[in-house]
Amino acid sequence: MQKIADERFQFVKLDALASERIDAPRYSYWNSVWRKFISNKVAVTMLIVLALTLLMSFIQPTFSGYDFMDTSNINDIGARYQWPSFQYWFGTDGNGHSLFDAVWAGAKTSLSIGLLATLFTFVVGITVGAVWGYSKHLDRIMIEVYNVVSNVPYILIVIVISYAMGSGFWNLLFAMCITSWVGTAYSIRIQVMIMRDREYNLASQTLGTPLHRVIQKNILPYLISVIVTQMSRSLPAFISSEVFLSYIGVGLGANIPSLGRIISTYTSSMTTHPYLFWIPVGVLALVSVSLYIVGQTLADASDPRTHM
């Protein structure tokens, strides 16, 4: 019996650190976000489509040298109104322009305005909103600013400022950004006010932690999913605003191509040469839908409560 016990058991060395180790898999927030995101096959497909669209928009116009005002081929009957083919993938218009070059040059302008406006809006909105949620003095001022801005239609503000400043890429961008950050700041302010009085934040303030560090380390990381959700809505909205303004002839100069201006230009060809109208509309829809799906999926993935 003693021999059987000796064969089953053996002495091991005492490891003083073994009791300190936690037998659990290591957790990485961003790795979990990525795993959650790629589990959605539709979002991954839309991300690939979006990446290809961005590459085409920012690379292709550089090589094509497309000029929206060029009329050198207007008298070349053979180059006008060519339907989509292997030579002209999207066809040509009444000036002999390749619609393929026009669409990507217009997409570059529309995407640039949308991306820059979103970046400015959220950098300023998050910064002001985080301080706004803590400062009672700033709250009294900003709440009045918000009440005024929120009661005036956004598109009306953009149109008035665009007319006052004149046409141009940077003028339109300024008009779109001058008040857009206020709504973002107000949303962040509400979230900060919800979280600022939680126990760990009160403890940090009691221990003398500076306000900017409390906001940076204790509050903003928990708002990532909220911020990404708002960005996923704002980016297509800014692109849509630019398209609408260009469609009605406000904001951009006549020599600057954009998806809105291209759609407006070819609206009259909807029945005679429908490809001139529907291809730019299709590209705009593809960009907007892919941005929305990728953004919403990323917002869900960035919520720690969805991680397993």
Side-chain angles (χ1 to χ4, degrees), residues 53-54 57-58 107-116 239 287 291:
T53 303
L54 290 172
S57 300
F58 288 95
K108 178 181 179 180
T109 302
S110 298
L111 286 169
S112 297
I113 290 177
L115 291 169
L116 290 173
I239 295 175
V287 169
L291 281 171

Side-chain angles (χ1 to χ4, degrees), residues 12-23:
V12 297
K13 294 181 179 180
L14 178 63
D15 188 352
L17 297 178
S19 60
E20 301 297 328
R21 297 193 186 101
I22 300 175
D23 189 17

Side-chain angles (χ1 to χ4, degrees), residues 200-201 209 211-222:
Y200 56 88
N201 288 323
T209 305
L211 176 60
H212 69 87
R213 190 167 181 82
V214 174
I215 295 173
Q216 181 183 358
K217 298 294 184 180
N218 290 9
I219 295 178
L220 289 182
Y222 290 93

Side-chain angles (χ1 to χ4, degrees), residues 124-170:
V124 175
I126 291 170
T127 304
V128 174
V131 179
W132 184 3
Y134 262 97
S135 174
K136 294 182 179 179
H137 298 290
L138 182 63
D139 184 67
R140 285 195 291 267
I141 300 172
M142 288 302 302
I143 201 67
E144 297 301 327
V145 173
Y146 173 77
N147 289 335
V148 173
V149 170
S150 62
N151 284 285
V152 180
Y154 168 74
I155 202 69
L156 179 61
I157 295 175
V158 177
I159 291 175
V160 170
I161 295 176
S162 296
Y163 272 122
M165 297 186 63
S167 60
F169 180 91
W170 296 107

